[in-house]
Amino acid sequence: MGPEATASFYERLIELTPARRDQDHLHVIIAADPSVPDRTAAFLRDGESPLSAMRRGISLLVDAGADLIAIPCNTAHIWIDELREGVDVPILDMIEVTARAAAAALPHGAQVAVLATVGMIESDLYGRALAALGLNARYPSPAEQEKVTNGIVGVKAGTHREARELLQDVGHRLVADGVDGIILGCTEIPLVFETEAVGVPVFDSLSLLARRTVNEALGVDAEAI
Amino acid sequence: MGPEATASFYERLIELTPARRDQDHLHVIIAADPSVPDRTAAFLRDGESPLSAMRRGISLLVDAGADLIAIPCNTAHIWIDELREGVDVPILDMIEVTARAAAAALPHGAQVAVLATVGMIESDLYGRALAALGLNARYPSPAEQEKVTNGIVGVKAGTHREARELLQDVGHRLVADGVDGIILGCTEIPLVFETEAVGVPVFDSLSLLARRTVNEALGVDAEAI
């Protein structure tokens, strides 16, 4: 949905594909319709629903012959059940993929911070996915969440340096508060977040979805990022 | 055709679009089918024609409702007349766009080096486009062209540092030989070439096509890259 996140997702697919020449790469079709109404506004404030625009995107991909669909927008997954209705092509679940990566890396009962849009936080999608795997979601405080929201908006507006500072600051506070890991649960965040800098494992939903997509498409294990 | 060039083209479209939020961006559909047979092999060595695979890509875009089509692969333009046949949606001509940028920046009679695939060189597409605008194409010598070819193959194979050295070296030699400008006439080349380092104006076909695409789509002048 965010064009930069979509472009970065495509870059990650290319990087993760073992290839020496064009013909070794995946056949990729991208439907990037940025006019899809704001997902968080729709969920929280009864804004225009993004569902029909997202369904048009899915239909375009199905009609074009897609064998597998990935949606590199966490907040869009609020509607994943509706999007899957009547669609025979498998649609990967980014939330499940990311939560599973956290569960594979962290001990039972670990506390995982979730950096995401307010819509995602309110939907509790990550909270439920983590709980089902024996992990606890830790959401930012209202003041921290405001920084996260401004960071996400800043990435979309192209002010990357300021956005990075806001997001990194929240990451550091959450680690100081004792979280065991951090989920980057909005695909704008990995475009600027420095995962090495926070000192706990970071689960980047954008890279994890890209890796899962390549694995499914090729039936081989992609290299770690 | 080269996935990395396609991803970079999409990044350039995003960068060139004046936008503060998702909804300000262009609606982009990408059909990236890397199984399209090698364009240079087809043209030079009677390899499998890429035309039917490229036509499938065009049909996909037309069926998806595209109002404008850009093909970020110079060598594919050998077949542009065939690709345009029976297609009502305008298809931009990357060669013309790039040659016009050179003609706008350089004096009549200037000599312009063309870094491109052997297929492009043999087709003389740039030579004819430049001649029509009063400029002279200067193609690399066979030894220089081997470096260019290895540079392009290197970008596709992911060995960017070595590829950059090969391409940069040819650029320097051509400037030492007196060329007035350089066209990066293969979309893999701008992924590694340092345009500032050569001392003459460089015309990057990938960025120029992206700028023209944004201009046409928005009806406004995009910022210079």
Side-chain angles (χ1 to χ4, degrees):
Chain A
M1 314 283 142
E4 271 198 87
T6 303
S8 184
F9 181 73
Y10 183 33
E11 294 271 11
R12 284 161 210 237
L13 284 185
I14 295 167
E15 277 165 29
L16 285 165
T17 304
R20 294 287 304 166
R21 53 184 197 133
D22 291 354
Q23 288 75 14
D24 298 332
H25 281 278
L26 299 181
H27 185 170
V28 176
I29 303 155
I30 298 177
D33 180 2
S35 72
V36 172
D38 187 274
R39 280 70 66 198
T40 292
F43 184 72
L44 292 184
R45 296 189 295 275
D46 228 19
E48 189 190 347
S49 170
L51 190 56
S52 64
M54 290 197 293
R55 279 193 173 132
R56 277 199 302 278
I58 300 282
S59 293
L60 189 160
L61 298 174
V62 171
D63 291 348
D67 297 307
L68 180 66
I69 293 174
I71 305 173
C73 172
N74 285 272
T75 312
H77 284 70
I78 292 174
W79 294 271
I80 191 166
D81 292 337
E82 288 90 334
L83 291 173
R84 281 173 165 171
E85 264 169 35
V87 174
D88 289 334
V89 179
I91 301 179
L92 295 176
D93 182 340
M94 185 182 220
I95 314 304
E96 190 197 330
V97 166
T98 306
R100 282 191 183 281
L106 298 174
H108 191 89
Q111 201 176 49
V112 186
V114 180
L115 302 187
T117 61
V118 179
M120 269 310 276
I121 304 287
E122 293 290 324
S123 77
D124 198 33
L125 277 191
Y126 269 114
R128 283 181 278 144
L130 290 169
L133 297 164
L135 299 175
N136 301 306
R138 161 80 158 78
Y139 294 124
S141 69
E144 288 163 352
Q145 184 59 42
E146 200 178 320
K147 288 188 181 186
V148 174
T149 300
N150 289 337
I152 294 167
V153 171
V155 174
K156 288 183 189 283
T159 56
H160 284 198
R161 196 174 51 77
E162 298 84 341
R164 177 181 298 116
E165 276 172 26
L166 288 167
L167 293 162
Q168 219 71 39
D169 180 49
V170 176
H172 285 302
R173 279 163 198 255
L174 289 162
V175 171
D177 264 14
V179 303
D180 304 300
I182 298 177
I183 282 177
L184 307 184
C186 169
T187 53
E188 264 72 32
I189 299 176
L191 307 184
V192 298
F193 198 85
E194 288 171 3
T195 58
E196 306 300 320
V198 289
V200 297
V202 173
F203 307 98
D204 163 2
S205 57
L206 191 64
S207 293
L208 289 164
L209 182 66
R211 191 192 301 191
R212 175 68 173 274
T213 304
V214 172
N215 283 352
E216 291 274 333
L218 293 182
V220 299
D221 216 41
E223 275 172 70
I225 292 181
Chain B
M1 313 285 139
E4 271 198 86
T6 303
S8 183
F9 181 71
Y10 184 32
E11 294 273 11
R12 285 162 209 236
L13 284 185
I14 295 167
E15 279 166 27
L16 285 166
T17 305
R20 295 287 304 167
R21 52 185 198 129
D22 291 354
Q23 289 75 14
D24 298 332
H25 281 277
L26 300 181
H27 184 170
V28 175
I29 303 154
I30 298 177
D33 180 1
S35 72
V36 172
D38 186 274
R39 280 70 67 197
T40 293
F43 185 72
L44 291 183
R45 297 189 296 274
D46 227 17
E48 189 191 346
S49 171
L51 189 56
S52 62
M54 292 196 292
R55 279 192 173 134
R56 278 198 302 277
I58 299 283
S59 294
L60 190 161
L61 298 173
V62 171
D63 291 348
D67 297 307
L68 180 66
I69 294 175
I71 306 173
C73 171
N74 285 273
T75 312
H77 285 69
I78 292 173
W79 292 272
I80 192 165
D81 291 337
E82 288 90 334
L83 291 173
R84 281 173 166 170
E85 263 169 36
V87 174
D88 288 334
V89 179
I91 301 178
L92 295 176
D93 182 339
M94 184 181 222
I95 313 304
E96 190 195 331
V97 167
T98 307
R100 282 190 184 280
L106 298 174
H108 192 89
Q111 199 175 51
V112 187
V114 180
L115 303 188
T117 62
V118 178
M120 269 309 276
I121 304 288
E122 292 292 323
S123 76
D124 198 33
L125 277 190
Y126 270 114
R128 282 181 279 145
L130 291 168
L133 297 164
L135 299 175
N136 300 307
R138 160 80 156 78
Y139 294 125
S141 70
E144 288 163 351
Q145 183 59 41
E146 201 178 320
K147 289 188 181 186
V148 174
T149 300
N150 289 336
I152 294 168
V153 171
V155 174
K156 288 183 189 286
T159 56
H160 284 197
R161 197 174 51 77
E162 297 85 338
R164 177 180 299 117
E165 276 172 27
L166 287 167
L167 293 161
Q168 220 71 38
D169 180 50
V170 176
H172 285 301
R173 278 164 199 254
L174 289 162
V175 172
D177 263 15
V179 302
D180 303 298
I182 298 178
I183 283 177
L184 307 185
C186 169
T187 54
E188 265 70 32
I189 299 175
L191 306 185
V192 299
F193 198 86
E194 289 171 3
T195 57
E196 306 300 319
V198 290
V200 297
V202 173
F203 306 98
D204 164 1
S205 57
L206 192 64
S207 294
L208 290 164
L209 182 66
R211 190 192 302 192
R212 176 66 175 273
T213 303
V214 173
N215 283 353
E216 292 274 331
L218 294 182
V220 299
D221 217 39
E223 277 171 68
I225 295 182

